[in-house]
Amino acid sequence: VMIKHKKYQLLLSLLFVVSVQIISGQDQNYLDSLDKELQPRESTGDKAGILYQIVEEYLRPDRDKALEFSNLLLDLSINDDYTPGIIDAYSLKGRIYRSGYSYDTALMFTSRALRLADSINDRQRLARIYAEKGHTLFLSQGPEPGLGQYLKSYEIYSEIRDSSGMANSLNGIGVMHMRKSSYDSATIFFLKLIEVSEKLGFEETLGKGYLNLGISYQEILAYDLAKTFLMQSLPINEKLGKQNFVALAYHNLANVECDLENMEEALELYEKALGIYEELEDKIGIGNVSTNIGNIYEEWGNYTEAFRYYNRGKQLHEEISYWGGFLVAYKNIALLHERWGDYEKALTIYDSCIVIA
């Protein structure tokens, strides 16, 4: 029995948190200068602020370094009885463990940060950390629990009239509705985000808004609108150096062309996304695009090349225990074995997929 060929699409957009760029040589000099600034400063608040910046810079490229500096921030803040620094250290630890897929540990630290922020009525930090908790709950439990946290974040940001925070929370709320397949609600929040961002000149949230609105339209097969907003996101995110967002736009533009059966255009766009993901060393992105490129070569009847890309996607996802992407790539490999007439191998793979799922 043949299974339906499944094309893996990267439609999930997690653009509601601040992204951290890969550290270049010039950025490393910036980190070194931050480190030197720690020495002469007498204020615990100043030192804590510098340590926070260092963790932010290391969070994406080097989680171990980020964790090391978050421990320094925590020790400094505990020794000097500086509660805001303790809150920030716990918050950062939550983000570090979340980026390593340790969601229970991430939630433990995020919850500690929330309790402390509430105890001193630090509304700004409360709003930010509710959004962080929403992100983690979404990744670990789904959009419904994540939505509740983003709504709390938006409510507090509105109370304290933090327009930038409101914009980021609007983006998170829109993404939660999109992942619940509530596309009307998602569109409303993304359009509101775009309106606020355009009015106040918030380019970062404007780039997110265009990108996520494009993805939302893609989900409901409104391809012309999807392409319009995905394209509008590109120059903004390129200007801001948000390469992960640029890659995501190219990836979804390629998905649109694939759905429209414009395979050559799709392949060109996938290759653009793949090049950026490789520069960022984003294994999920590389794996997902590789699987999609495999789809195209299989469509063209080039099964050897399709296998090469599917296998790359499978291996990368296995390395990071991303089993959703792994299973899609592996099932596609099984389908290739069916096409080759090797039904025993195909059945073995399907059995393995059932065990993993």
Side-chain angles (χ1 to χ4, degrees), residues 173-234:
I173 293 168
V175 172
M176 295 302 100
H177 280 296
M178 183 167 63
R179 301 322 301 171
K180 290 173 61 182
S181 300
S182 302
Y183 298 112
D184 288 345
S185 295
T187 299
I188 289 169
F189 281 102
F190 289 140
L191 287 172
K192 187 173 182 180
L193 165 64
I194 289 169
E195 179 185 358
V196 170
S197 299
E198 286 179 336
K199 182 178 179 181
L200 299 175
F202 294 153
E203 287 190 310
E204 182 172 339
T205 50
L206 183 61
K208 295 175 184 179
Y210 283 146
L211 179 52
N212 277 332
L213 184 58
I215 293 171
S216 187
Y217 279 128
Q218 180 188 347
E219 292 263 21
I220 59 173
L221 312 183
Y223 294 128
D224 287 343
L225 286 169
K227 288 200 283 187
T228 294
F229 286 105
L230 289 169
M231 290 297 295
Q232 282 185 270
S233 76
L234 281 170

Side-chain angles (χ1 to χ4, degrees), residues 20-33 56-62 241 243 279-281:
V20 181
Q21 301 304 310
I22 295 297
I23 295 179
S24 65
Q26 184 176 358
D27 294 327
Q28 185 62 56
N29 292 334
Y30 168 68
L31 282 175
D32 292 341
S33 69
E56 283 271 9
E57 292 293 332
Y58 272 125
L59 204 153
R60 188 180 186 89
D62 192 336
Q243 289 300 102
E279 288 179 7
L280 296 175
E281 298 181 0

Side-chain angles (χ1 to χ4, degrees), residues 7-12 215 218 223 227 230 248-263 265-267 269-270 288-289 292-293 295-296:
K7 178 175 64 180
Y8 191 87
Q9 296 185 343
L10 182 60
L11 299 177
L12 176 58
I215 293 171
Q218 180 188 347
Y223 294 128
K227 288 200 283 187
L230 289 169
L248 190 60
Y250 281 130
H251 196 157
N252 282 283
L253 283 165
N255 289 342
V256 170
E257 296 298 344
C258 235
D259 287 347
L260 295 172
E261 299 185 358
N262 299 324
M263 296 304 181
E265 291 87 344
L267 181 58
L269 290 163
Y270 281 138
N288 289 340
V289 174
N292 276 0
I293 291 176
N295 296 151
I296 291 176

Side-chain angles (χ1 to χ4, degrees), residues 34 221 264 320:
L34 286 179
L221 312 183
E264 291 184 1
I320 58 175

Side-chain angles (χ1 to χ4, degrees), residues 30-282:
Y30 168 68
L31 282 175
D32 292 341
S33 69
L34 286 179
D35 197 19
K36 290 176 183 176
E37 282 189 58
L38 288 172
Q39 306 307 320
R41 292 177 180 265
E42 295 181 0
S43 164
T44 300
D46 287 344
K47 290 181 179 180
I50 294 296
L51 283 169
Y52 188 95
Q53 290 179 59
I54 292 174
V55 178
E56 283 271 9
E57 292 293 332
Y58 272 125
L59 204 153
R60 188 180 186 89
D62 192 336
R63 285 199 301 272
D64 290 338
K65 275 287 186 183
L67 190 59
E68 176 185 335
F69 279 101
S70 73
N71 288 334
L72 290 175
L73 172 58
L74 184 60
D75 291 342
L76 168 73
S77 301
I78 290 174
N79 289 337
D80 291 2
D81 197 24
Y82 182 60
T83 302
I86 299 173
I87 295 169
D88 287 344
Y90 286 148
S91 164
L92 288 165
K93 284 177 178 292
R95 291 170 57 192
I96 293 165
Y97 281 105
R98 180 182 67 208
S99 69
Y101 311 106
S102 299
Y103 298 127
D104 289 343
T105 305
L107 285 170
M108 178 187 71
F109 282 114
T110 303
S111 296
R112 288 182 186 177
L114 272 176
R115 287 194 296 270
L116 274 178
D118 188 45
S119 72
I120 62 172
N121 197 32
D122 189 329
R123 308 297 284 170
Q124 187 79 36
R125 283 181 168 84
L126 265 177
R128 170 170 58 80
I129 298 166
Y130 271 126
E132 291 172 4
K133 186 175 181 181
H135 188 175
T136 305
L137 284 172
F138 165 60
L139 292 175
S140 59
Q141 299 176 29
E144 191 64 46
L147 177 59
Q149 303 302 306
Y150 275 104
L151 289 170
K152 289 180 181 178
S153 174
Y154 180 74
E155 181 181 354
I156 296 172
Y157 276 133
S158 299
E159 288 175 5
I160 62 177
R161 300 182 181 278
D162 184 330
S163 299
S164 179
M166 289 168 62
N168 274 299
S169 293
L170 282 171
N171 189 61
I173 293 168
V175 172
M176 295 302 100
H177 280 296
M178 183 167 63
R179 301 322 301 171
K180 290 173 61 182
S181 300
S182 302
Y183 298 112
D184 288 345
S185 295
T187 299
I188 289 169
F189 281 102
F190 289 140
L191 287 172
K192 187 173 182 180
L193 165 64
I194 289 169
E195 179 185 358
V196 170
S197 299
E198 286 179 336
K199 182 178 179 181
L200 299 175
F202 294 153
E203 287 190 310
E204 182 172 339
T205 50
L206 183 61
K208 295 175 184 179
Y210 283 146
L211 179 52
N212 277 332
L213 184 58
I215 293 171
S216 187
Y217 279 128
Q218 180 188 347
E219 292 263 21
I220 59 173
L221 312 183
Y223 294 128
D224 287 343
L225 286 169
K227 288 200 283 187
T228 294
F229 286 105
L230 289 169
M231 290 297 295
Q232 282 185 270
S233 76
L234 281 170
I236 298 172
N237 289 320
E238 285 173 344
K239 174 185 174 183
L240 297 174
K242 304 293 185 183
Q243 289 300 102
N244 51 335
F245 298 173
V246 173
L248 190 60
Y250 281 130
H251 196 157
N252 282 283
L253 283 165
N255 289 342
V256 170
E257 296 298 344
C258 235
D259 287 347
L260 295 172
E261 299 185 358
N262 299 324
M263 296 304 181
E264 291 184 1
E265 291 87 344
L267 181 58
E268 183 178 342
L269 290 163
Y270 281 138
E271 287 175 342
K272 286 184 179 181
L274 183 60
I276 297 171
Y277 285 136
E278 287 174 340
E279 288 179 7
L280 296 175
E281 298 181 0
D282 182 339

